[in-house]
């Protein structure tokens, strides 16, 4: 990746944390205390965040013919961030229905398997995009039927 320099970032973190000075403090403490010891270390870690849409996200959107209501399944966990409300709003806007007609089902890995983790301030957006794409497919599938019904109505 351009402009990504792990060595520079690693050295910067050590400098900001006063790592060398702290190592000296730990060494001095350990010299003074025979039975009680301290330690310090720096461990580089690559946290596996993937902010790409296709990274394990999905949604299932069902439109019920009996009453026109919509049920949405997505893989995000509602932990207070309002993900269910956001997904319902996106589905309602994309399908052109009232948000009251949209019900968001609870997260279930039987329905949406292999979903990515919930966290990192991006899950809501990924679930909304997955639901939006599912709705766009439904709109494309229903368009010939809509045109037929419009002609029949005239």
């Amino acid at each position: 990746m351009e402009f990504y320099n792990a060595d520079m970032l690693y050295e910067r973190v050590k400098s900001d944390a006063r790592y060398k000075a702290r190592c000296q403090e730990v060494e001095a403490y350990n010299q003074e205390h025979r039975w009680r010891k301290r330690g310090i270390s720096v461990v580089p870690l690559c946290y596996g965040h993937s902010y790409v849409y296709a990274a394990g996200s999905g949604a299932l959107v069902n439109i019920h013919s009996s009453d026109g209501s919509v049920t949405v399944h997505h893989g995000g966990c509602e932990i207070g961030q309002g993900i269910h409300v956001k997904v319902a709003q996106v589905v309602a806007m994309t399908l052109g229905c009232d948000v009251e007609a949209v019900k968001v089902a609870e997260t279930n890995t039987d329905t949406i398997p292999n979903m990515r983790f919930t966290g990192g301030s991006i899950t809501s957006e990924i679930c909304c995009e997955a639901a939006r794409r599912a709705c766009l497919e439904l709109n494309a599938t229903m368009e010939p039927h809509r045109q037929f019904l419009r002609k029949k109505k005239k």
Side-chain angles (χ1 to χ4, degrees):
M1 291 191 318
E2 196 173 334
F3 303 117
Y4 179 78
N5 187 334
D7 295 338
M8 186 238 359
L9 292 174
Y10 182 70
E11 292 303 321
R12 171 82 186 266
V13 167
K14 288 191 336 184
S15 171
D16 289 353
R18 298 184 319 104
Y19 180 71
K20 286 184 181 178
R22 288 181 175 185
C23 283
Q24 292 171 350
E25 291 170 11
V26 167
E27 188 62 35
Y29 180 89
N30 290 341
Q31 291 294 326
E32 293 175 15
H33 298 87
R34 180 176 180 186
W35 302 110
R36 189 173 201 172
K37 304 293 182 183
R38 291 187 177 165
I40 187 169
S41 68
V42 176
V43 180
L45 172 69
C46 180
Y47 188 65
H49 263 281
S50 177
Y51 293 118
V52 181
Y53 163 72
S57 60
L60 172 65
V61 179
N62 294 319
I63 301 173
H64 306 284
S65 62
S66 59
D67 61 357
S69 65
V70 179
T71 304
V72 185
H73 299 267
H74 64 82
C77 294
E78 175 60 69
I79 52 175
Q81 78 277 40
I83 192 169
H84 289 346
V85 173
K86 293 174 187 178
V87 169
Q89 290 171 335
V90 167
V91 167
M93 183 182 77
T94 308
L95 292 178
C97 65
D98 291 335
V99 74
E100 290 79 22
V102 179
K103 176 188 179 288
V104 179
E106 291 301 316
T107 302
N108 185 338
T109 56
D110 287 341
T111 309
I112 306 294
N114 304 321
M115 181 58 184
R116 53 180 271 129
F117 56 86
T118 295
S121 301
I122 196 75
T123 306
S124 296
E125 287 72 20
I126 287 176
C127 289
C128 287
E129 179 62 11
R132 187 185 75 83
R133 288 187 181 196
C135 290
L136 291 175
E137 285 186 38
L138 284 171
N139 281 337
T141 301
M142 292 188 304
E143 188 55 33
H145 303 286
R146 287 180 178 146
Q147 289 177 4
F148 173 77
L149 291 173
R150 286 183 192 126
K151 287 180 185 175
K152 192 175 179 182
K153 203 174 193 182
K154 289 181 181 181

